[in-house]
């Protein structure tokens, strides 16, 4: 990959939009979950698994998909990923029961990971060297941006079309976004597919200390952030009798505030901030906010304000971690596998987060203060990972 003189900002925007469309598959579910539970008659813990099953295959094969991107080519894997997203969306819209709904989420999850492990390398290819930190900061908004747009539109769309209609609509939009992203990728200086076996590449990535710590931090961070976003509509409606539309809107705003948080994190990286301190500052704010969100006493307004602080501060973590992938990679060939490890950690955190918090709340007789146990535990784990990552020295140079 050769360096560019100028950043291709159009490609940066469209590739980020493609990532956001993949993340819309995450954001479409929480506002629709109460309607799904009513339609299909399943409970809170089953709902937690519907939320988390999206990540099952992602948490097991993301590194392999990253290695496959090197062998098969990133464009092919992006096309395959969007194909899975469309197929999963259609299957979900036609699901007659909980079992088929869960299968559809598995298919969508494979597509999501295939897309999101392939696109970061394209973002780096689109950036001039001086802009790479900022561009990776922009890329890190794809997840909250895609989730927030879907959540903001959900109250109107769910009212007009029902949850199945929303699934059909998103599935219909995906091919257009995929075409635009693939068109931009063809114009970039992406390496040709490498026919070397991708399994050794994935195994080397798994043994890389820097990648292990990146995956650990994203695992612990995703557990907290995605779990709060997933259960916030239910928390507001069940604990405070909030209207579903109000709960969905507040959740969308909380997700959306993560976007300027990520952009702020990218700006800090460009100014020379180190990932370790950024992670620790973010974790401290998230811990204090979590206590205020779930402890008895604060008003609904104050809890929402604390959710906003939680999400904005959390936005510092993804750009710090995306920047760490090329910093700690053994070679350029390992970057996609490293992004796969990052996504694998994220998927694991998302998978166990929603059902574990649901189980804790159910154990407490429906009292959401019991969510503090797992949430604060993973706050501590994020801090430990940030400290270890801050102490780790990157390789002095990266062979091509």
């Amino acid at each position: 990959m050769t360096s560019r003189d100028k950043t291709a900002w159009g490609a940066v925007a469209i590739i980020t939009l493609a990532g956001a469309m993949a993340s819309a598959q995450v954001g479409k579910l929480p506002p629709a979950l109460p309607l799904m539970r009513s339609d299909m008659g399943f409970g809170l813990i089953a709902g937690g698994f519907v939320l988390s099953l999206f990540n099952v295959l992602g948490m097991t094969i993301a590194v392999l998909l990253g290695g496959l991107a090197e062998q098969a080519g990133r464009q092919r894997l992006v096309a395959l990923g969007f194909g899975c997203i469309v197929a999963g969306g259609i299957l979900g819209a036609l699901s007659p029961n909980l079992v088929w709904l869960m299968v559809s989420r598995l298919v969508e999850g494979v597509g999501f990971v295939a897309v999101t492990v392939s696109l970061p390398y394209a973002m780096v290819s689109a950036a001039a060297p001086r802009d790479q930190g900022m561009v990776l900061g922009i890329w890190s908004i794809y997840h909250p941006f895609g989730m927030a747009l879907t959540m903001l539109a959900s109250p109107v769309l769910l009212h007009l079309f029902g949850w199945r209609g929303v699934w059909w609509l998103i599935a219909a939009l995906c091919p257009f976004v995929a075409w635009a992203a693939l068109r931009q990728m063809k114009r970039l200086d992406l390496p040709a597919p490498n026919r070397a076996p991708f399994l050794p590449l994935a195994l080397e990535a798994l043994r890389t200390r820097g990648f292990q710590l990146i995956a650990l931090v994203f695992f612990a961070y995703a557990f907290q952030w995605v779990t709060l976003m997933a259960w916030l509509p239910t928390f507001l409606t069940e604990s405070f009798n909030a209207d579903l539309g109000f709960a969905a809107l507040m959740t969308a705003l909380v997700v959306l505030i993560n976007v300027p948080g990520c952009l702020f994190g990218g700006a800090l990286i460009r100014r020379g901030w180190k990932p370790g301190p950024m992670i620790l500052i973010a974790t401290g704010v998230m811990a204090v906010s979590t206590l205020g969100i779930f402890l008895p006493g604060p008003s609904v307004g104050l809890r929402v304000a604390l959710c906003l602080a939680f999400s904005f501060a959390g936005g510092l973590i993804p750009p710090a971690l995306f920047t760490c992938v090329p910093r700690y990679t053994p070679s350029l060939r390992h970057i996609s596998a490293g992004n796969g490890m990052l996504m694998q950690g994220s998927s694991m955190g998302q998978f166990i987060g929603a059902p574990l918090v649901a189980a804790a709340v159910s154990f407490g007789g429906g009292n959401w203060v019991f969510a503090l146990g797992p949430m604060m535990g993973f706050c501590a784990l994020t801090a430990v990972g940030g400290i270890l990552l801050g102490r780790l020295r990157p390789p002095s140079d990266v062979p091509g």
Side-chain angles (χ1 to χ4, degrees), residues 125-255:
S125 299
R130 66 182 178 276
D131 293 327
Q132 284 186 2
M134 177 61 73
V135 164
L136 286 171
I138 293 171
W139 166 248
S140 68
I141 76 171
Y142 80 89
H143 197 54
F145 184 60
M147 286 183 66
L149 283 182
T150 314
M151 288 178 164
L152 284 170
S154 286
V156 174
L157 294 178
L158 290 170
H159 177 72
L160 291 175
F161 306 117
W163 72 267
R164 295 180 190 272
V166 171
W167 262 235
W168 281 112
L169 178 61
I170 293 176
L173 291 174
C174 280
F176 297 100
V177 176
W179 172 80
L182 291 169
R183 187 182 180 196
Q184 291 295 327
M185 292 177 74
K186 287 180 181 178
R187 299 174 177 175
L188 299 175
D189 182 28
L190 295 176
N194 189 322
R195 298 306 177 188
F198 65 88
L199 184 58
L201 196 69
L203 292 176
E204 289 167 8
L206 287 169
R207 291 193 293 265
T208 301
R209 178 66 169 170
F211 288 172
Q212 292 170 357
L213 292 175
I214 291 167
L216 173 67
V217 174
F218 218 154
F219 163 68
Y221 163 73
F223 179 102
Q224 299 167 74
W225 190 84
V226 175
T227 299
L228 181 64
M229 302 309 116
W231 284 126
L232 189 55
T234 302
F235 173 59
L236 293 175
T237 53
E238 292 189 355
S239 297
F240 303 100
N241 296 317
D243 176 74
L244 178 59
F246 169 81
L249 178 60
M250 291 301 100
T251 303
L253 292 176
V254 172
V255 172

